[in-house]
Amino acid sequence: MVPFNVAIRRRLFDLCDDENISATSSLETKRNYIRDNLKDNYDSIIEGLQIGITQQPYKMPFWATLLTLVIGPEGLETDVPWPNRICSDLVRGFQAQLDKLRWREIRLYLQFFGHLAAIGFITPESMVSQLLSFTSVLDEPGVSYERASMAALCAGEALLRAASVLHNHSPHKVYDILSVLGAFSQSLQAQTSMSQPVILLHTQEARNTNEQLKCLLSALREVEDDGFAYPATLLRPQEDFPQLQDLEPTFALPSILVPPEIAHVEEEISTSAPAVHHRELPTVWIRLFDVEPSINPTRAGGYLLRSTYEDVIDIYEVNRKEAAKILLQMDRWFTRGTFRSSPGATTSEEGSTGVQLELSVMETILGSMMILPRPKHKPVYYHALITEFAKLSASTVGPAVGKSIRKLYALLGEGLDVEAAKRFSDWFAVHMSNFGYQWVWKEWTTDLQLDPTHPKRTFMRRAIELEIRLSYYDRILKTLPDAMQSPEAQIMPAEIPGHDFEYESSGNSHHYIASNLLKKLQDRATLMEVSIQVDTMRTELTSSGLSDSRAGSRTRSITMQCLLVLGARSFSHFLNAIERYIKVLQNLSTTPDAKFEMLEIVSTFWRRNRQMITIIFDKLMQYQIVDPSDVVSWAFEGGGLGEKGDGLGTFQWEVMRLALDKSNGRVSIAQRRIVQQRKIDDEARAAKIAEAAKNESMDVDDIAMKAEEEPIEESTDLQKQTRAHQILVAEQKSVLSRAVEGFVTVINDTDEVISETAWNECSSWTKKQWDAVETWGWFRHFARSYAPYLRVYRESLSMAYLSRVPAERPAGKLLREIWSITVEQDS
């Protein structure tokens, strides 16, 4: 049985959903429903309206119109008109969201108020005052980018809807808002280059991209040029009701102050980098299609469409099926002529122009997925959303998906960011797995003539590798044309995924020793028995003529490989083996060289299944058999699996990212433990003082004085937590230092790929040049992703490593440019 208050909310929530009932009739029905329930279910009606405003932004004109239509039941008197009373309660809901700084809900409420101002319900003076409160945030000293950008979006998107009314009343204040937004957008020019998904090394010029705030400002300028007219793409349901024409504004929004940002507990400790809580770089969308038939977000209508799509994608992250359904029906919520007619429909002259719904939605979803340095949601959500979207209308969405894939593929080798290319291959493989691995690979066979390290060839290899993970080798092999199946194409792996046990063959000189150890491990021998066996093995190897170092390396190789064989059956088998014999592994990896050898052994053993390498590396760090700095070193020196020192590829970056996140995560955990321990100590100290005061019959003032006089001594637990934190901070600095050193070492010799002249000749590039370009891409991503951590050590890192590349060289200039923008250190 559905509770009555829930039933009321649902009745409001389906406003205008029935396509067989006109919007006017639906609004009248809802008005009457509200009238009949105002007396007994007022709170439920308010809650229903609040949910509608914050969860159905595509219906915003209808929610605003519905509010102004509300009438009370006969015989129920009120001091103020019912719309005003209801709006007062909605404003209280807005204030609650403002106090919590829930920016999405704040922005949607302001859009709602903007529509009410356009209808003539809210006074222009109060609406302008609200917007100025948000633009004042941009002038706050030291304001973060995220806070400033969210405030700018709140003010700009509300102004886009209410500009026609606000300009007539307060033209100077409207121009002031536009001026503040313009100045803020202009200040972001340098930072924008760091989050562009398409960019070349020799220029910061935007290619196939649109920056969100710049788009909003451009849309507002278009409205200004059009005499601040109401955007043509937005519906105006109020025009169907004579009583809403020429309304006299009667509701004034209260004055507000935007509260300060909420501090996080980790920021209470200043001895190391804080956890990343805020976005620091501008949001830049990738542009896949021409203005026709997709969206042009730099125009008012295009921006309104794009922002509505974005809100639906964001709000319905918890229900991707509903998100896909709403997106596919988005043409219902904008004016006729905004979208083209669907394929197969009777096409009029009006229906042959405008936005193609499916293409524009695909561009928006992929653009959101490729926001750098990280998207708002996990990439898997966008993968699943596209899958649901395609299933709803395969005949119309399928071609849009195909066109999107081809457009992204065309950008490979033309400036597509390495992280964006990685996300593209991830999505491509997942999407193929959901639709029978059906793709026209023949279209790309001509690209087999490109250098094997060209981004297009790299994409094909990685996509196939991921498809094999999601399916199996023979299945994927059958989907490829003959040209791609051959070993010479270097697309399909030459061997089925698996492991290589060096000592498996009886012809190996150490087969007998390895077999004995493996048998003991399989028989679940005790830790002591295995330790003795390993020590005996090392003694025998030394006696056979090997030096101590070579005997140690061979012992390490045999032991680790035997454990890997034991754990090769499943992930749980591997974890059990590691946990049972962790002391053996720790004793074998006591030096940096030994730890590096451990990583090399794992990578060689699992060279045909690189997914297992990342999994095992993660667990070796977790059990502290190797350190994160060792993994970073391996990424640069051993990550090529036989091609050392050539640069950083996608797989090597994934491994290095694991190490960076592991190190930073440990520091964050240690910070929280210190904060928690301090609270425990403070409470214990306060309880002790209170107990003493009670025994001595002290008054309140004496208690306070005693608390101030009481010496503060750190507890033993706090001292332990502080020492652990200091050790982890030192490790964090070591990991970051090793990463910066590795990047600087590789890019020091890359001047030849940075100039425009070199780029124009990229068709003749070979492995050396493409590896250099990819390494630059990962350095850019490293800097923007870990800037808050790098910033803490920027002076020492800059002096130790950046100085190795002379500033007058192209590589030195670009290196300092990236460092200056992300880490905020003057070049």
Side-chain angles (χ1 to χ4, degrees):
M1 183 69 179
V2 178
F4 193 64
N5 63 327
V6 175
I8 289 177
R9 295 201 302 266
R10 289 180 179 177
R11 283 290 300 272
L12 292 177
F13 207 61
D14 64 6
L15 174 68
C16 299
D17 279 349
D18 193 338
E19 296 186 58
N20 298 318
I21 300 176
S22 69
T24 303
S25 298
S26 181
L27 284 166
E28 290 174 341
T29 300
K30 298 303 178 188
R31 176 195 61 188
N32 296 335
Y33 184 77
I34 292 174
R35 178 197 63 200
D36 296 340
N37 286 276
L38 269 177
K39 182 178 179 180
D40 300 325
N41 299 287
Y42 180 81
D43 291 341
S44 297
I45 289 172
I46 296 299
E47 187 177 354
L49 291 172
Q50 289 174 336
I51 293 173
I53 292 166
T54 56
Q55 295 187 19
Q56 292 185 329
Y58 51 94
K59 295 182 182 179
M60 205 67 79
F62 298 94
W63 291 118
T65 301
L66 178 61
L67 174 64
T68 56
L69 288 173
V70 171
I71 56 176
E74 294 183 8
L76 184 61
E77 297 182 0
T78 180
D79 296 336
V80 296
W82 281 105
N84 295 52
R85 179 178 171 182
I86 292 174
C87 196
S88 295
D89 287 310
L90 293 177
V91 168
R92 277 192 280 273
F94 165 67
Q95 184 64 54
Q97 303 293 353
L98 184 63
D99 293 340
K100 298 174 184 177
L101 284 181
R102 292 179 175 173
W103 286 111
R104 186 186 70 201
E105 286 76 10
I106 294 169
R107 181 169 50 81
L108 294 177
Y109 265 110
L110 285 171
Q111 290 181 17
F112 176 68
F113 296 151
H115 282 286
L116 288 175
I119 292 174
F121 178 75
I122 286 179
T123 61
E125 301 99 316
S126 64
M127 188 70 209
V128 169
S129 176
Q130 291 263 320
L131 301 188
L132 289 173
S133 297
F134 284 91
T135 55
S136 66
V137 170
L138 278 61
D139 296 325
E140 293 176 352
V143 62
S144 69
Y145 164 76
E146 183 176 61
R147 177 176 170 83
S149 63
M150 290 297 100
L153 290 175
C154 287
E157 292 187 6
L159 180 61
L160 200 57
R161 291 159 171 82
S164 57
V165 172
L166 302 187
H167 178 261
N168 290 337
H169 182 270
S170 306
H172 296 297
K173 292 182 179 179
V174 169
Y175 286 119
D176 287 344
I177 294 172
L178 291 175
S179 177
V180 172
L181 295 179
F184 177 61
S185 177
Q186 186 65 28
S187 70
L188 301 175
Q189 187 171 355
Q191 291 92 325
T192 301
S193 66
M194 289 304 301
S195 55
Q196 288 179 357
V198 183
I199 191 171
L200 300 176
L201 288 179
H202 63 270
T203 178
Q204 291 187 4
E205 180 183 352
R207 295 163 55 90
N208 296 88
T209 57
N210 289 299
E211 194 269 315
Q212 185 178 19
L213 284 171
K214 189 176 290 186
C215 289
L216 174 58
L217 186 63
S218 176
L220 287 167
R221 294 299 184 191
E222 183 191 27
V223 170
E224 177 188 1
D225 294 340
D226 200 25
F228 291 97
Y230 188 76
T233 55
L234 291 178
L235 293 169
R236 304 194 66 169
Q238 67 269 23
E239 293 183 347
D240 295 330
F241 298 91
Q243 66 268 39
L244 300 184
Q245 306 308 308
D246 302 321
L247 280 181
E248 189 69 28
T250 59
F251 188 87
L253 294 169
S255 299
I256 61 167
L257 289 175
V258 181
E261 289 181 289
I262 302 172
H264 295 268
V265 294
E266 293 92 343
E267 296 169 3
E268 297 179 23
I269 301 176
S270 58
T271 54
S272 69
V276 180
H277 297 291
H278 305 297
R279 182 172 180 83
E280 295 190 335
L281 293 173
T283 297
V284 183
W285 299 318
I286 192 168
R287 188 179 72 247
L288 298 180
F289 304 105
D290 298 330
V291 174
E292 292 283 351
S294 191
I295 292 173
N296 180 4
T298 63
R299 302 196 63 183
Y303 184 86
L304 289 166
L305 285 176
R306 180 74 185 239
S307 63
T308 305
Y309 289 176
E310 293 271 356
D311 285 333
V312 169
I313 292 170
D314 186 24
I315 292 168
Y316 290 90
E317 183 261 342
V318 296
N319 189 346
R320 64 182 185 273
K321 291 180 181 291
E322 187 67 17
K325 178 182 176 182
I326 293 170
L327 290 169
L328 194 59
Q329 298 175 348
M330 194 60 72
D331 54 345
R332 295 184 54 206
W333 309 108
F334 291 88
T335 54
R336 178 173 296 181
T338 300
F339 294 93
R340 294 185 179 188
S341 299
S342 301
T346 303
T347 304
S348 62
E349 183 177 345
E350 182 184 70
S352 62
T353 60
V355 173
Q356 185 175 330
L357 176 61
E358 293 81 5
L359 274 183
S360 62
V361 170
M362 279 300 305
E363 185 176 45
T364 302
I365 298 175
L366 291 173
S368 298
M369 183 183 77
M370 293 192 176
I371 288 174
L372 299 171
R374 60 186 62 83
K376 185 175 293 187
H377 303 289
K378 292 183 178 180
V380 67
Y381 165 59
Y382 301 102
H383 302 169
L385 178 58
I386 293 174
T387 298
E388 298 299 333
F389 188 56
K391 287 179 178 179
L392 284 177
S393 180
S395 61
T396 59
V397 178
V401 172
K403 291 178 181 178
S404 301
I405 291 173
R406 292 178 179 92
K407 287 290 185 179
L408 283 170
Y409 181 79
L411 290 173
L412 292 167
E414 296 294 333
L416 185 66
D417 184 89
V418 289
E419 172 65 15
K422 172 186 173 296
R423 294 180 198 171
F424 172 34
S425 58
D426 290 343
W427 165 62
F428 178 85
V430 170
H431 192 77
M432 291 301 109
S433 73
N434 288 322
F435 293 92
Y437 298 98
Q438 298 178 21
W439 180 249
V440 190
W441 288 96
K442 289 183 179 179
E443 293 181 2
W444 297 341
T445 53
T446 55
D447 292 330
L448 296 178
Q449 305 301 319
L450 298 171
D451 187 85
T453 53
H454 188 282
K456 290 182 177 178
R457 296 283 300 276
T458 302
F459 165 81
M460 286 189 269
R461 274 196 303 275
R462 186 166 192 275
I464 292 298
E465 179 183 352
L466 295 175
E467 286 189 3
I468 292 173
R469 291 184 194 175
L470 296 169
S471 182
Y472 56 93
Y473 186 89
D474 292 337
R475 167 79 186 278
I476 302 305
L477 182 65
K478 293 177 182 178
T479 65
L480 299 177
D482 293 339
M484 290 185 175
Q485 292 183 18
S486 65
E488 292 77 16
Q490 300 183 38
I491 299 298
M492 192 73 183
E495 301 173 274
I496 296 174
H499 62 265
D500 294 318
F501 183 35
E502 181 182 354
Y503 308 101
E504 184 174 15
S505 171
S506 58
N508 188 285
S509 57
H510 303 294
H511 170 75
Y512 177 75
I513 297 176
S515 298
N516 288 340
L517 178 60
L518 181 59
K519 187 175 187 308
K520 274 193 175 295
L521 295 175
Q522 290 172 337
D523 293 340
R524 301 175 66 87
T526 65
L527 175 62
M528 180 64 71
E529 291 173 336
V530 172
S531 297
I532 294 173
Q533 176 77 11
V534 170
D535 291 340
T536 303
M537 179 170 57
R538 180 164 185 166
T539 302
E540 291 178 359
L541 290 170
T542 304
S543 301
S544 67
L546 293 179
S547 64
D548 286 343
S549 61
R550 293 190 64 186
S553 296
R554 183 61 64 182
T555 302
R556 201 172 293 116
S557 173
I558 293 173
T559 305
M560 188 64 190
Q561 288 197 49
C562 286
L563 281 171
L564 290 173
V565 170
L566 190 65
R569 292 176 59 187
S570 70
F571 187 53
S572 59
H573 280 80
F574 171 73
L575 287 181
N576 289 334
I578 290 292
E579 290 172 356
R580 189 180 305 123
Y581 304 114
I582 186 172
K583 290 295 183 182
V584 174
L585 293 178
Q586 289 175 341
N587 291 335
L588 289 172
S589 54
T590 55
T591 66
D593 288 343
K595 293 176 181 179
F596 189 89
E597 280 187 22
M598 280 289 197
L599 298 175
E600 285 281 80
I601 293 165
V602 173
S603 65
T604 303
F605 184 88
W606 283 112
R607 67 178 182 81
R608 289 190 285 123
N609 190 350
R610 297 196 297 180
Q611 180 185 20
M612 291 300 300
I613 297 176
T614 58
I615 292 173
I616 294 174
F617 279 14
D618 181 62
K619 293 305 172 185
L620 292 179
M621 286 189 288
Q622 179 180 328
Y623 290 110
Q624 299 182 344
I625 296 168
V626 300
D627 299 325
S629 56
D630 301 316
V631 176
V632 172
S633 296
W634 182 88
F636 283 105
E637 300 172 19
L641 300 178
E643 300 171 350
K644 305 180 189 304
D646 293 330
L648 207 70
T650 301
F651 170 70
Q652 289 79 9
W653 165 256
E654 288 181 320
V655 169
M656 190 169 82
R657 179 184 56 79
L658 280 176
L660 291 165
D661 290 345
K662 183 75 71 177
S663 175
N664 296 331
R666 287 173 177 173
V667 172
S668 296
I669 291 171
Q671 287 173 327
R672 287 194 293 270
R673 286 175 176 170
I674 290 178
V675 172
Q676 184 178 9
Q677 188 61 50
R678 282 177 178 168
K679 290 179 179 178
I680 293 172
D681 291 353
D682 289 343
E683 291 172 359
R685 190 179 301 111
K688 179 180 177 182
I689 293 173
E691 183 64 25
K694 179 180 178 181
N695 295 335
E696 299 175 17
S697 302
M698 299 170 63
D699 58 28
V700 176
D701 293 336
D702 291 336
I703 293 175
M705 186 177 298
K706 184 175 180 62
E708 293 177 359
E709 294 174 353
E710 187 78 16
I712 299 177
E713 296 182 1
E714 290 187 349
S715 66
T716 303
D717 289 338
L718 181 57
Q719 291 175 5
K720 290 180 179 178
Q721 298 288 2
T722 303
R723 284 196 296 270
H725 177 260
Q726 291 170 346
I727 293 171
L728 292 173
V729 167
E731 179 190 82
Q732 180 188 51
K733 183 178 181 181
S734 173
V735 173
L736 292 171
S737 298
R738 184 63 195 90
V740 174
E741 181 183 20
F743 276 116
V744 169
T745 301
V746 175
I747 64 183
N748 187 27
D749 187 29
T750 58
D751 289 346
E752 63 176 320
V753 300
I754 295 175
S755 68
E756 183 176 2
T757 302
W759 175 253
N760 292 334
E761 299 174 355
C762 67
S763 59
S764 61
W765 281 1
T766 58
K767 175 179 172 56
K768 180 181 178 181
Q769 289 78 29
W770 286 119
D771 281 352
V773 170
E774 186 171 13
T775 303
W776 271 110
W778 288 121
F779 175 68
R780 184 188 297 270
H781 189 57
F782 164 73
R784 67 191 171 209
S785 298
Y786 297 97
Y789 305 102
L790 293 168
R791 204 166 292 137
V792 177
Y793 314 109
R794 63 180 181 269
E795 293 183 4
S796 59
L797 291 175
S798 178
M799 291 178 62
Y801 304 115
L802 267 65
S803 58
R804 298 182 183 180
V805 187
E808 62 273 10
R809 285 174 42 199
K813 182 180 178 181
L814 181 58
L815 174 67
R816 287 163 176 79
E817 182 180 282
I818 295 173
W819 187 265
S820 175
I821 294 172
T822 54
V823 189
E824 298 177 355
Q825 179 174 332
D826 295 336
S827 57

